């Protein structure tokens, strides 16, 4: 059955999957959502027999209905190949009674690789399907991981250019080094003097600039996005929850139909929204445990029904979650409002104009599947240290936030269902915070020295992504004010 995509902010005519992927953001500023959530049509016990690529096909064929089977299989095969350092693509590792879903085995050692390995192929296939002659300009804001993963995915992809904005002092040293050393004639990285929300708002503003779009169209360019506002980014994230369930079945950890919980460290809400969609498809998920750091805007939202970004922005050791405007939450708001674009638009306007909105009682009742909590900096470090001392397993700061919050959930509820925890980045990406959490004696060392020490104590081989940046030259040293982002785009496109 064909799935079309509506905007969360208007009743405009729906578009096909390939059109939604190409546009990234709806012209009215809304996000594209499927007109219905398809049911998983594979018997659950069959999931145990499938590899990652087979699982990806079974999920994506249901959402991307205007792609042929062969087009989708080609995109999947090109995405999930030797770029990943393990044949499982996303292994499930049991430690201390929790199933850690390792999403960091791709080229840039973060979960964004899972979707950004396939997005360039979905996008270029969509362009051909829609006879697009323009060069596609990928415009992306990053809190650390999306940037490098998008740059890596789109570098030298014909018919595309990619420009990534990041908060100059809001990412880890290794995240920054990964981005500013990126090769590719079609790439550019720009640091902004501001935080991630400034970068994200600036990108959305550029997308909504009709005059700019017309001006660029005349010059042979059109915008698209690699952020999880793009449905072509979000749908591939559903896959790994379905795959994880199959792996637990295969290993005899659960029986077909048995419910699991899913815990996700969350900033922009895309990763946990993908788990919500997996549940809507019929995957037996009970609770969706939403873990926040000290920027606990989502925790407060789930506790009170009020979303309020009017608060101090905190720089933490889990920078990919240092976010006060969770873009993908808009999709959930639209769904719990009964797919009411007018109601959703009213709330999003209130957020833009006053920084806050409150949902209705009936909408709150539809959030019963979610549990939200947060971990502070001390708790995050303690979680890393405790897990290492117990098991020898080292997790990064974002995964530690989720692990800590899951512990709070279990203590509060007594719920002991098997739980999959999304491990969103390699600890090698945040060596300073991780090693300092394990022992304060490491605080004086350089980041790449710490990577060597981490490899020794964890008995894990140094990821290629870290080895590559040791001697890589800086190729991008562009900086701009947050209100100069449009000029930065125009300058990039004039070269």
């Amino acid at each position: 059955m064909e799935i079309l995509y509506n905007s969360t902010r208007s009743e405009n005519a729906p578009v096909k999957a390939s059109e939604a992927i190409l546009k990234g953001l709806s012209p009215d500023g809304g996000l594209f959502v499927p007109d219905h959530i398809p049911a998983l049509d594979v018997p659950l016990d069959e999931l145990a027999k499938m590899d990652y690529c087979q699982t990806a096909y079974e999920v994506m064929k249901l959402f991307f209905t205007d792609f042929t089977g062969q087009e989708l299989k080609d995109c999947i095969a090109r995405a999930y190949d030797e770029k990943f350092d393990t044949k499982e693509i996303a292994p499930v590792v049991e430690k201390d009674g929790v199933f850690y879903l390792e999403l960091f085995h791709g080229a840039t050692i973060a979960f964004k690789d899972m979707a950004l390995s396939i997005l360039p192929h979905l996008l270029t296939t969509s362009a051909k399907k829609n006879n697009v002659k323009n060069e596609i300009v990928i415009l992306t804001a990053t809190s650390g991981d999306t940037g490098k993963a998008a740059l890596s995915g789109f570098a030298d992809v014909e018919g595309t250019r990619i420009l990534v904005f990041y908060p100059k002092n809001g990412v880890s040293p290794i995240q920054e080094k990964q981005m500013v050393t990126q090769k590719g004639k079609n790439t550019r990285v720009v640091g902004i003097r501001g935080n991630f929300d400034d970068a994200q708002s600036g990108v959305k503003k550029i997308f909504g600039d009709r005059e700019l779009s017309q001006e660029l169209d005349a010059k042979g360019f059109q915008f698209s996005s690699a952020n999880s506002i793009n449905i072509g980014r979000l749908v591939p994230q559903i896959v790994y929850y379905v795959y994880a369930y199959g792996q637990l079945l295969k290993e005899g950890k659960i029986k077909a139909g048995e419910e699991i919980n899913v815990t996700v460290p969350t900033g922009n809400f895309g990763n946990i929204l993908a788990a919500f969609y997996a549940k809507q498809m019929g995957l037996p998920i009970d609770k969706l445990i939403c873990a926040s750091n000290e920027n606990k805007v989502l925790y407060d939202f789930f506790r009170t029904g009020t979303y309020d970004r009017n608060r101090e922005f905190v720089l933490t050791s889990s920078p990919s979650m240092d976010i006060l405007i969770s873009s993908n939450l808009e999709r959930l708001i639209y769904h719990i409002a009964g797919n009411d674009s007018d109601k959703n638009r009213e709330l999003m306007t209130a957020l833009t104009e006053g920084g806050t909105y409150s949902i209705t009682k009936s909408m709150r009742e539809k959030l019963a599947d979610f549990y939200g909590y947060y971990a502070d900096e001390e708790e995050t470090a303690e979680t890393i240290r405790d897990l290492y001392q117990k098991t020898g397993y080292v997790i990064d700061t974002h995964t530690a936030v989720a692990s800590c919050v899951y512990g709070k959930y279990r203590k509060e509820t007594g719920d002991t269902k098997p739980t999959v925890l999304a491990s969103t980045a390699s600890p090698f990406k945040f060596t300073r915070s991780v090693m300092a959490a394990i022992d304060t004696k490491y605080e004086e060392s350089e980041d790449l020295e710490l990577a060597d020490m981490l490899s020794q104590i964890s008995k894990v081989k140094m990821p290629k992504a870290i080895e590559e940046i040791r001697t890589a030259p800086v190729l991008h040293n562009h900086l701009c004010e947050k209100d100069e982002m449009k000029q930065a785009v125009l300058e990039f496109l004039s070269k």
Side-chain angles (χ1 to χ4, degrees), residues 253-300:
K253 303 295 184 183
I254 58 171
K255 295 183 173 69
E258 185 178 346
E259 284 192 329
I260 63 169
N261 292 327
V262 171
T263 304
V264 187
T266 307
N268 219 12
F269 207 74
N271 207 359
I272 197 163
L273 182 71
F276 171 77
Y277 279 171
K279 176 173 173 131
Q280 300 302 303
M281 293 178 79
L283 197 70
I285 294 173
D286 182 21
K287 282 291 180 194
L288 297 155
I289 300 163
C290 177
S292 300
N293 65 17
E294 287 183 19
N295 292 290
K296 54 190 179 65
V297 65
L298 288 166
Y299 161 74
D300 291 338

Side-chain angles (χ1 to χ4, degrees), residues 5 37 61 87 92 109 128 131 136 152 194 258 269 306 315 331 358 375 412 441 455 475 488 492:
Y5 289 82
I37 305 294
K61 72 174 187 186
K87 66 177 179 5
V92 178
I109 58 175
K128 284 177 197 155
N131 299 311
I136 297 165
S152 177
E258 185 178 346
F269 207 74
T306 295
L315 288 172
R331 285 185 165 113
S358 296
E412 190 177 310
K441 72 182 182 186
S455 181
L475 302 174
F492 173 53

Side-chain angles (χ1 to χ4, degrees), residues 90-123:
V92 178
V93 176
E94 186 176 3
K95 295 291 175 184
D96 199 29
V98 178
F99 297 103
Y100 288 85
L101 173 59
E102 293 187 345
L103 300 172
F104 52 75
H105 288 275
T108 75
I109 58 175
F111 84 99
K112 308 294 172 77
D113 288 321
M114 302 302 297
L116 285 165
S117 293
I118 194 167
L119 183 60
H121 305 297
L122 293 173
L123 198 62

Side-chain angles (χ1 to χ4, degrees), residues 333-349:
I333 296 297
Y334 173 82
H335 291 309
I336 64 173
N339 295 352
D340 183 340
S341 57
D342 289 337
K343 179 63 179 172
N344 178 71
R345 189 174 61 253
E346 173 196 317
L347 295 174
M348 294 307 121
T349 301

Side-chain angles (χ1 to χ4, degrees), residues 219-482:
K219 293 177 180 176
F221 297 112
Q222 69 185 65
F223 287 131
S224 190
S225 174
N227 282 91
S228 54
I229 55 175
N230 193 317
I231 199 71
R233 225 322 272 279
L234 187 61
V235 168
Q237 293 181 255
I238 300 169
V239 174
Y240 43 73
Y241 296 110
V242 179
Y243 178 73
Y245 193 89
Q247 292 305 292
L248 294 184
L249 282 173
K250 182 180 176 181
E251 292 164 16
K253 303 295 184 183
I254 58 171
K255 295 183 173 69
E258 185 178 346
E259 284 192 329
I260 63 169
N261 292 327
V262 171
T263 304
V264 187
T266 307
N268 219 12
F269 207 74
N271 207 359
I272 197 163
L273 182 71
F276 171 77
Y277 279 171
K279 176 173 173 131
Q280 300 302 303
M281 293 178 79
L283 197 70
I285 294 173
D286 182 21
K287 282 291 180 194
L288 297 155
I289 300 163
C290 177
S292 300
N293 65 17
E294 287 183 19
N295 292 290
K296 54 190 179 65
V297 65
L298 288 166
Y299 161 74
D300 291 338
F301 169 70
F302 283 116
R303 291 287 156 132
T304 66
T306 295
Y307 191 97
D308 187 355
R309 67 170 170 83
N310 299 317
R311 62 185 68 204
E312 184 189 351
F313 184 91
V314 186
L315 288 172
T316 73
S317 61
S318 47
S320 298
M321 297 158 67
D322 290 348
I323 292 171
L324 295 181
I325 304 173
S326 301
S327 280
N328 267 291
L329 186 63
E330 177 170 348
R331 285 185 165 113
L332 182 66
I333 296 297
Y334 173 82
H335 291 309
I336 64 173
N339 295 352
D340 183 340
S341 57
D342 289 337
K343 179 63 179 172
N344 178 71
R345 189 174 61 253
E346 173 196 317
L347 295 174
M348 294 307 121
T349 301
L351 180 65
T352 302
E353 293 176 355
T356 183
Y357 63 80
S358 296
I359 59 173
T360 64
K361 187 179 176 212
S362 65
M363 288 169 75
R364 280 195 73 181
E365 285 165 1
K366 292 176 184 169
L367 293 176
D369 293 342
F370 288 89
Y371 169 94
Y373 219 105
Y374 72 97
D376 65 26
E377 288 290 88
E378 194 177 318
E379 290 172 322
T380 302
E382 193 179 313
T383 302
I384 293 170
R385 182 169 59 254
D386 288 353
L387 188 63
Y388 172 68
Q389 288 174 349
K390 268 188 192 175
T391 67
Y393 188 61
V394 182
I395 54 176
D396 91 294
T397 46
H398 304 75
T399 307
V401 167
S403 185
C404 177
V405 166
Y406 173 60
K408 292 180 179 184
Y409 169 78
R410 274 190 65 163
K411 191 172 180 183
E412 190 177 310
T413 64
D415 183 357
T416 58
K417 283 186 195 72
T419 295
V420 167
L421 189 148
S423 184
T424 52
S426 164
F428 286 93
K429 207 152 191 171
F430 303 94
T431 50
R432 180 161 299 283
S433 299
V434 168
M435 294 301 283
I438 289 171
D439 195 321
T440 53
K441 72 182 182 186
Y442 295 116
E443 286 179 340
E444 300 306 311
S445 303
E446 293 295 315
D447 286 86
L448 289 169
E449 280 182 307
L450 288 169
D452 289 321
M453 295 175 194
L454 175 56
S455 181
Q456 287 169 10
I457 69 160
S458 64
K459 299 181 175 57
V460 172
K461 187 182 172 188
M462 181 84 70
K464 188 180 167 191
I466 301 298
E467 290 289 5
E468 284 175 346
I469 62 170
R470 278 184 190 277
T471 55
V474 171
L475 302 174
H476 306 271
N477 53 10
H478 307 280
L479 269 175
C480 77
E481 301 298 331
K482 61 188 179 185

